[in-house]
Amino acid sequence: MISKFHKSHQKFLESAFAFNGAKHTTAFVKQWLKEQNEKVYVKVEKIPFSQLEKWEFRNGALRHESGKFFSIEGIQVETNWGPVLSWEQPIINQPEIGYLGFIVKEFNGVLHFLMQAKIEPGNINYVQLSPTIQATKSNYTRVHEGKSPLYLEYFVNTPPDEVWVDQLQSEQGARFLKKRNRNIIIHVNENIPEYENFIWLTLAQIKELAQFDNLVNMDTRTVISGITFGNFDVDSFMQSHQLSGIESALLKSACNNENELNSFDYILRFVTRHKAGYDISITSVALDKVKNWQQDAYKIHHAENKYFNVIAVRVEIGNREVVQWTQPMIEPAQEGICAFVCKEINGILHFAVQAKMECGNFDVIEFAPTVQCLTGNYNNENSLKTLPFLDYVLKADTKQIIFDTYQSEEGGRFYREQNRNVMVLAGDEIPVELPEHFIWMTLQQLQTFIRFNNYINVQARSLISAIRFKHES
Amino acid sequence: MISKFHKSHQKFLESAFAFNGAKHTTAFVKQWLKEQNEKVYVKVEKIPFSQLEKWEFRNGALRHESGKFFSIEGIQVETNWGPVLSWEQPIINQPEIGYLGFIVKEFNGVLHFLMQAKIEPGNINYVQLSPTIQATKSNYTRVHEGKSPLYLEYFVNTPPDEVWVDQLQSEQGARFLKKRNRNIIIHVNENIPEYENFIWLTLAQIKELAQFDNLVNMDTRTVISGITFGNFDVDSFMQSHQLSGIESALLKSACNNENELNSFDYILRFVTRHKAGYDISITSVALDKVKNWQQDAYKIHHAENKYFNVIAVRVEIGNREVVQWTQPMIEPAQEGICAFVCKEINGILHFAVQAKMECGNFDVIEFAPTVQCLTGNYNNENSLKTLPFLDYVLKADTKQIIFDTYQSEEGGRFYREQNRNVMVLAGDEIPVELPEHFIWMTLQQLQTFIRFNNYINVQARSLISAIRFKHES
């Protein structure tokens, strides 16, 4: 009932299979991206907090003097979830909703996405493929005041029926306090200017590029994850496209609504049970009083150097509006891993999803990948013993790996943070019975939850975005 | 995809049509309820705050000395929604999730709901039909400590597949700060004791009783509103049950998923647009400093005696565990009205639903009835001029009225608060084009949102619960 066919569905589906008909070859895009990277001047250096300009420690937090952008605050967390029931930590508070938007348009009958080669200071490789627009709500709603981002006018003036995706999605719940972004895709028919460092790609190409390390940025990945194809005759589509193997199994899991192990209502009741059974209470703590965290001239760090550091950087960038600025960033203490384990059950691919409490979640729990280790060194004896599926994923045979890449977190806040994104196809060695807090879902069930906001966390969405239904041959 | 058939669906559907096969006649139930009311001793009197026992004004709020139950606090509200952008008011803060649960069981093959004739001090007529259990989370999760409510063990021990409804639903957003209750229906096969003042009713009987004033309490109404029937062959069902008229149109709207004016995705985008476009910020204010509110010995009231009063009462009740106690309550300043206007569009009944911001909402906006006036005297020139559909509903012809009753708010918190619940069938005089913030939905679309929690507000759910698909002949 909620998956009726919309004109967008078929266009998205065709674009997910379109290498022929694309404006550019994928090889060209990779070369173009490399050139974008080379021609830009970027310098990011760590500085002491005392050299931050326009940022200051005030009222127990690290804030911009305007009160805008974001702040780094301290929180105390109390919960009845998991082995650790109480802790304190710094967190990013950014109440303003961010807007992540794509313009899509047909060329040669094939839907293309307008992407930007965007520099973000935190990115390992600086330039990655980002949505057409990344704007703040202030940008978005007050379009006529001040300088506005490129293409903003298209988003503001789109008639409702040409808005093909419009969702409010969460960011990292362990790092952001209830932050949400608006994920939008709008469709245009008219000709629109193609500014320098913008390029039109098909959905198949974006998914193809997501098979490589750090080319497709987090903002792109979250928007792409919200695309659905509606109900259609999957079997005849698969036949006519000669699909087979894992890609056909994934498409079937995305579009088939038969033979799910757990009904959607059953999963909803699973959610309610978790939200009703677990509490989380957050209270404010002055940043310099956060227990077990220490501050020196250059960073705020955990006493055991775990989790992450708050640092300060000076950024000089060539093709940005503001050429030089300073800002706080979050630097991970180590690399993390996110993985989905999937398995065929009742003839359809199911994903092992976990209900996960993170302190910044909007509503207690969200669904996370099978494995999500971002906040500690995962490859150690204790993690391997206590975290379900971690050992299994790390030892998975190459033949079971659907993809295994490094992907960057949002480069405006996170300093050189990349995490392994892995998807593993399990066989009989993984039983249908799952540990507590885990539940099997089809890809269609996952994507239905995505449409309702704040059910599927950003790590899971990042993995989902990289699922391709056709590889470039 | 989210409405697959579950064994519960057919049982619920049959029960919604079952007058024959019910354990008791509806006439008997009404007489029984009257007797329950007569045999109980109830005395509720207003007292000055100074006579409250175990309640005190502390840290800027009216609190229980244990820190439990609830507190009355002051808040300042800032928003960009509506004509009033900033105000202060008292509000109920009750962070603990309440549990509202029904046990259902077949007798003679017909599903019956175990209902309690429950006294609530705020009820106009004291005793109303309530769910099997109304418990706090503390009751529910710590079953072996202290005295626990009747039937609690059934809820705690039910296997997941016998939990037929499990939802987290909101309460009044203008009165409660982000309060949610868990709405549960569990199914049992075994014989269970039928304690005094409990009675088994079919769903048809509950809906029939909801056509009368103040017999079915708010907790029952919210749980009942979450019942769905899955996908089945509505047309043949309607033929075999010889349904026609408004009742058949309502069943079709509840079960048909064709010909909706707005696709579900379109409505979801409408939600996102509202949540992204409007903000609400709540800050704490000491209760005795709330702007435009005054306190005397007996009440905290608005300077113009609008909205509601916070009062204190002494309660003496015959058949309660605690026979005498005092507590704060909320007394409405006047009677309110909630109404759905529905209309046939594309051959299917659609409801005019409004996106409504209320300061205590969990997530900015929820969907509310076409008309919701609870916080001011609605029958005045200004309201009639500015509130869409109010004048239309008040002047509706008798022939257009589907139901028109008074229903009580929750009698544990609200003192003698009853509001008119009206449903009106509109004709051509109401155009398909709706005012800003309004959208047409079928009953099935409304009920799909109910299953996802915090989308449909309690006033809308109250109206939905009273929709019957068969009247007693």
Side-chain angles (χ1 to χ4, degrees):
Chain A
M1 112 198 50
I2 66 169
S3 247
K4 289 292 190 50
F5 213 76
H6 180 257
K7 59 182 173 179
S8 67
H9 287 140
Q10 187 164 354
K11 289 290 170 191
F12 281 138
L13 183 66
E14 286 165 2
S15 187
F17 285 83
F19 293 105
N20 294 333
K23 281 192 90 165
H24 311 284
T25 65
T26 314
F28 170 83
V29 176
K30 281 162 85 172
Q31 182 57 34
W32 176 83
L33 196 55
K34 200 168 160 230
E35 283 163 17
Q36 296 294 320
N37 218 330
E38 279 161 5
K39 79 179 184 193
V40 78
Y41 166 75
V42 188
K43 187 175 164 198
V44 181
E45 57 173 340
K46 293 187 188 181
I47 55 172
F49 290 117
S50 60
Q51 287 180 28
L52 278 174
E53 293 150 19
K54 303 187 183 174
W55 290 83
E56 57 193 7
F57 289 96
R58 177 163 43 93
N59 296 335
L62 180 53
R63 303 173 200 271
H64 193 262
E65 63 181 23
S66 67
K68 289 186 182 173
F69 304 109
F70 61 95
S71 56
I72 310 283
E73 307 182 359
I75 55 168
Q76 195 219 357
V77 184
E78 303 273 354
T79 180
N80 60 346
W81 173 279
V84 183
L85 302 182
S86 173
W87 72 90
E88 298 188 0
Q89 68 165 78
I91 200 159
I92 308 170
N93 189 358
Q94 186 173 356
E96 196 174 43
I97 289 176
Y99 283 61
L100 314 176
F102 273 109
I103 296 177
V104 294
K105 175 176 160 66
E106 287 101 298
F107 295 95
N108 314 321
V110 176
L111 197 70
H112 283 68
F113 292 65
L114 184 55
M115 304 204 71
Q116 184 184 176
K118 190 169 198 301
I119 311 164
E120 291 283 359
N123 288 346
I124 278 183
N125 51 347
Y126 302 127
V127 172
Q128 297 187 8
L129 288 165
S130 93
T132 317
I133 198 170
Q134 296 175 206
T136 63
K137 188 173 168 179
S138 317
N139 283 149
Y140 198 90
T141 50
R142 266 159 285 159
V143 54
H144 298 302
E145 291 170 30
K147 208 167 169 181
S148 58
L150 289 174
Y151 301 109
L152 180 60
E153 64 276 22
Y154 295 93
F155 289 88
V156 175
N157 298 321
T158 307
D161 204 45
E162 296 297 337
V163 179
W164 283 5
V165 166
D166 196 355
Q167 302 167 348
L168 278 184
Q169 298 294 1
S170 56
E171 289 210 29
Q172 291 87 330
R175 307 280 183 79
F176 282 102
L177 194 58
K178 302 192 176 185
K179 167 110 173 75
R180 298 200 292 192
N181 289 317
R182 186 173 180 181
N183 289 215
I184 323 176
I185 300 180
I186 62 163
H187 174 253
V188 301
N189 286 308
E190 74 245 54
N191 287 326
I192 64 171
E194 193 178 331
Y195 294 110
E196 207 198 328
N197 72 296
F198 284 82
I199 195 165
W200 293 97
L201 299 187
T202 67
L203 185 53
Q205 290 182 306
I206 301 173
K207 286 175 172 291
E208 187 72 20
L209 292 165
Q211 311 303 312
F212 297 89
D213 295 349
N214 301 313
L215 295 185
V216 177
N217 84 351
M218 175 57 100
D219 293 341
T220 299
R221 300 197 313 274
T222 174
V223 181
I224 294 302
S225 75
I227 291 174
T228 50
F229 307 130
N231 291 327
F232 64 100
D233 185 347
V234 191
D235 288 333
S236 74
F237 184 89
M238 290 200 297
Q239 268 177 9
S240 71
H241 279 73
Q242 297 179 306
L243 299 183
S244 64
I246 185 65
E247 289 166 2
S248 99
L250 285 163
L251 185 68
K252 209 170 147 192
S253 185
C255 301
N256 193 307
N257 58 4
E258 302 287 327
N259 301 321
E260 302 103 338
L261 182 67
N262 301 302
S263 73
F264 205 89
D265 268 341
Y266 184 86
I267 305 171
L268 278 171
R269 292 195 295 270
F270 175 93
V271 172
T272 298
R273 201 159 66 240
H274 277 81
K275 290 189 177 177
Y278 296 98
D279 294 320
I280 177 159
S281 137
I282 304 288
T283 45
S284 211
V285 175
L287 191 53
D288 57 349
K289 299 279 191 304
V290 174
K291 210 161 64 183
N292 291 328
W293 288 74
Q294 297 162 359
Q295 180 171 343
D296 62 30
Y298 280 86
K299 60 176 189 283
I300 300 171
H301 61 96
H302 189 262
E304 297 166 32
N305 290 310
K306 295 196 289 190
Y307 311 120
F308 58 85
N309 307 321
V310 180
I311 61 168
V313 294
R314 171 172 290 115
V315 184
E316 289 174 47
I317 278 184
N319 73 355
R320 269 225 174 213
E321 194 178 306
V322 180
V323 180
Q324 190 274 343
W325 74 91
T326 65
Q327 69 168 83
M329 293 195 96
I330 302 293
E331 177 184 36
Q334 60 283 308
E335 199 181 282
I337 185 169
C338 294
F340 262 130
V341 172
C342 55
K343 173 186 168 75
E344 195 174 292
I345 304 170
N346 301 341
I348 190 138
L349 216 54
H350 283 72
F351 292 63
V353 182
Q354 63 171 312
K356 192 168 175 67
M357 194 285 287
E358 294 188 286
C359 62
N361 280 353
F362 191 79
D363 190 8
V364 191
I365 63 122
E366 292 191 10
F367 284 120
T370 321
V371 171
Q372 179 183 319
C373 305
L374 298 175
T375 54
N377 179 10
Y378 63 83
N379 207 344
N380 61 54
E381 215 175 308
N382 187 44
S383 295
L384 290 170
K385 234 187 261 172
T386 57
L387 291 176
F389 300 104
L390 175 58
D391 187 52
Y392 174 78
V393 166
L394 293 177
K395 290 183 181 152
D397 190 278
T398 321
K399 282 178 295 193
Q400 295 179 269
I401 304 286
I402 301 172
F403 57 75
D404 183 357
T405 60
Y406 284 95
Q407 299 298 345
S408 298
E409 301 302 307
E410 209 270 298
R413 297 289 170 272
F414 300 106
Y415 182 79
R416 300 191 179 170
E417 175 162 11
Q418 58 173 0
N419 293 302
R420 259 182 88 183
N421 276 226
V422 188
M423 207 159 122
V424 178
L425 180 60
D428 291 339
E429 70 281 5
I430 296 294
V432 171
E433 180 104 347
L434 289 174
E436 200 190 353
H437 309 314
F438 283 75
I439 193 163
W440 291 108
M441 290 191 217
T442 65
L443 187 49
Q444 186 179 62
Q445 291 176 327
L446 277 163
Q447 295 215 275
T448 299
F449 275 114
I450 288 180
R451 290 147 72 194
F452 281 84
N453 310 329
N454 288 109
Y455 278 96
I456 308 294
N457 80 358
V458 69
Q459 288 81 11
R461 300 200 313 276
S462 172
L463 287 164
I464 289 168
S465 74
I467 292 174
R468 60 180 172 175
F469 306 109
K470 186 181 180 183
H471 61 276
E472 188 159 28
S473 50
Chain B
M1 110 199 52
I2 66 168
S3 249
K4 289 290 189 52
F5 213 74
H6 181 257
K7 59 183 173 178
S8 68
H9 288 140
Q10 187 165 355
K11 290 290 170 190
F12 280 138
L13 183 65
E14 286 165 1
S15 187
F17 285 84
F19 293 104
N20 295 333
K23 281 191 91 166
H24 313 282
T25 65
T26 313
F28 171 83
V29 176
K30 282 162 85 173
Q31 182 58 33
W32 176 85
L33 196 56
K34 201 168 160 230
E35 285 162 16
Q36 295 293 318
N37 219 329
E38 280 161 5
K39 81 179 183 192
V40 78
Y41 166 75
V42 189
K43 187 176 164 197
V44 181
E45 56 172 341
K46 294 187 188 180
I47 54 172
F49 290 116
S50 61
Q51 286 181 27
L52 278 173
E53 294 150 19
K54 303 187 183 173
W55 289 84
E56 56 192 8
F57 289 95
R58 177 164 44 93
N59 296 336
L62 180 52
R63 303 173 200 270
H64 194 262
E65 63 180 25
S66 67
K68 289 186 183 174
F69 303 108
F70 61 94
S71 56
I72 310 283
E73 307 182 359
I75 56 169
Q76 196 220 357
V77 184
E78 303 274 354
T79 180
N80 60 347
W81 172 280
V84 183
L85 302 181
S86 173
W87 71 90
E88 298 188 359
Q89 67 166 78
I91 199 160
I92 308 170
N93 189 358
Q94 185 172 357
E96 196 173 44
I97 288 177
Y99 283 59
L100 315 175
F102 273 109
I103 296 177
V104 295
K105 175 177 161 63
E106 287 101 299
F107 295 95
N108 314 319
V110 176
L111 198 69
H112 284 68
F113 292 65
L114 184 56
M115 305 205 72
Q116 184 183 175
K118 190 169 198 298
I119 310 163
E120 290 283 1
N123 288 347
I124 278 183
N125 52 346
Y126 302 127
V127 173
Q128 297 187 8
L129 287 165
S130 94
T132 316
I133 198 169
Q134 296 176 205
T136 64
K137 188 173 169 182
S138 317
N139 285 149
Y140 198 91
T141 51
R142 266 160 286 160
V143 54
H144 299 302
E145 292 169 29
K147 209 166 167 181
S148 58
L150 289 174
Y151 302 108
L152 179 60
E153 65 275 21
Y154 295 93
F155 288 88
V156 174
N157 298 321
T158 307
D161 204 45
E162 296 296 337
V163 179
W164 284 5
V165 166
D166 195 355
Q167 302 168 347
L168 279 184
Q169 298 294 1
S170 56
E171 290 210 27
Q172 291 86 330
R175 306 282 183 79
F176 283 101
L177 194 58
K178 301 192 177 185
K179 168 110 174 73
R180 299 200 291 191
N181 289 317
R182 186 173 180 183
N183 290 215
I184 323 175
I185 301 180
I186 61 163
H187 175 253
V188 300
N189 287 308
E190 74 245 53
N191 287 326
I192 64 170
E194 194 177 329
Y195 294 110
E196 208 199 326
N197 73 296
F198 284 82
I199 194 165
W200 292 98
L201 299 186
T202 67
L203 185 53
Q205 291 182 305
I206 301 172
K207 287 175 171 291
E208 186 72 20
L209 292 165
Q211 311 303 311
F212 297 89
D213 295 349
N214 301 312
L215 296 185
V216 177
N217 85 351
M218 174 57 99
D219 293 341
T220 299
R221 301 198 310 276
T222 172
V223 181
I224 293 302
S225 75
I227 292 174
T228 49
F229 306 130
N231 291 327
F232 64 100
D233 184 346
V234 193
D235 288 333
S236 74
F237 183 90
M238 291 201 296
Q239 267 177 10
S240 70
H241 280 71
Q242 296 180 304
L243 299 181
S244 65
I246 185 65
E247 290 167 2
S248 98
L250 285 163
L251 185 68
K252 208 170 148 193
S253 184
C255 301
N256 194 306
N257 58 3
E258 302 287 328
N259 301 321
E260 301 104 338
L261 182 67
N262 300 301
S263 73
F264 205 87
D265 269 341
Y266 184 87
I267 304 171
L268 278 171
R269 293 195 294 269
F270 176 94
V271 172
T272 298
R273 199 159 67 240
H274 278 81
K275 290 190 178 177
Y278 296 97
D279 294 319
I280 176 160
S281 137
I282 304 289
T283 44
S284 211
V285 175
L287 190 53
D288 56 350
K289 300 278 192 302
V290 174
K291 211 161 64 183
N292 292 328
W293 289 73
Q294 297 161 359
Q295 180 171 345
D296 62 30
Y298 280 86
K299 60 176 191 281
I300 300 171
H301 61 97
H302 189 263
E304 297 167 32
N305 289 311
K306 295 196 289 191
Y307 311 120
F308 58 84
N309 307 321
V310 180
I311 61 168
V313 294
R314 171 173 290 115
V315 184
E316 289 174 48
I317 276 183
N319 73 354
R320 267 227 174 208
E321 195 179 307
V322 181
V323 179
Q324 189 275 341
W325 74 90
T326 65
Q327 69 168 83
M329 293 195 95
I330 301 293
E331 177 185 37
Q334 61 282 309
E335 200 181 280
I337 184 169
C338 294
F340 263 130
V341 171
C342 54
K343 174 184 165 78
E344 195 174 293
I345 304 170
N346 301 341
I348 190 140
L349 216 55
H350 283 72
F351 293 62
V353 182
Q354 62 171 312
K356 192 170 176 64
M357 194 285 286
E358 294 188 284
C359 62
N361 280 353
F362 190 79
D363 190 8
V364 191
I365 63 121
E366 292 192 10
F367 284 120
T370 321
V371 171
Q372 178 182 320
C373 305
L374 299 174
T375 53
N377 179 10
Y378 64 83
N379 207 345
N380 62 54
E381 214 174 309
N382 186 44
S383 295
L384 290 170
K385 234 186 261 170
T386 57
L387 291 176
F389 300 105
L390 175 59
D391 186 52
Y392 175 76
V393 166
L394 293 177
K395 291 184 181 152
D397 190 278
T398 321
K399 283 178 295 193
Q400 295 179 269
I401 304 286
I402 301 172
F403 57 74
D404 184 356
T405 61
Y406 283 96
Q407 299 297 345
S408 299
E409 300 303 306
E410 210 269 298
R413 299 287 169 273
F414 300 107
Y415 182 79
R416 300 191 179 170
E417 174 160 13
Q418 58 173 359
N419 293 302
R420 259 182 88 182
N421 276 226
V422 188
M423 208 161 122
V424 178
L425 179 62
D428 291 340
E429 70 281 6
I430 296 294
V432 172
E433 181 104 346
L434 289 174
E436 199 190 356
H437 309 314
F438 284 74
I439 193 164
W440 291 108
M441 291 192 217
T442 65
L443 186 49
Q444 186 179 62
Q445 290 176 327
L446 277 163
Q447 295 216 274
T448 299
F449 275 115
I450 288 181
R451 290 149 72 196
F452 281 84
N453 309 329
N454 289 108
Y455 278 97
I456 307 295
N457 80 359
V458 69
Q459 288 81 11
R461 299 199 313 276
S462 173
L463 288 163
I464 288 168
S465 74
I467 291 174
R468 59 181 173 175
F469 306 108
K470 186 181 180 184
H471 62 277
E472 190 159 28
S473 50

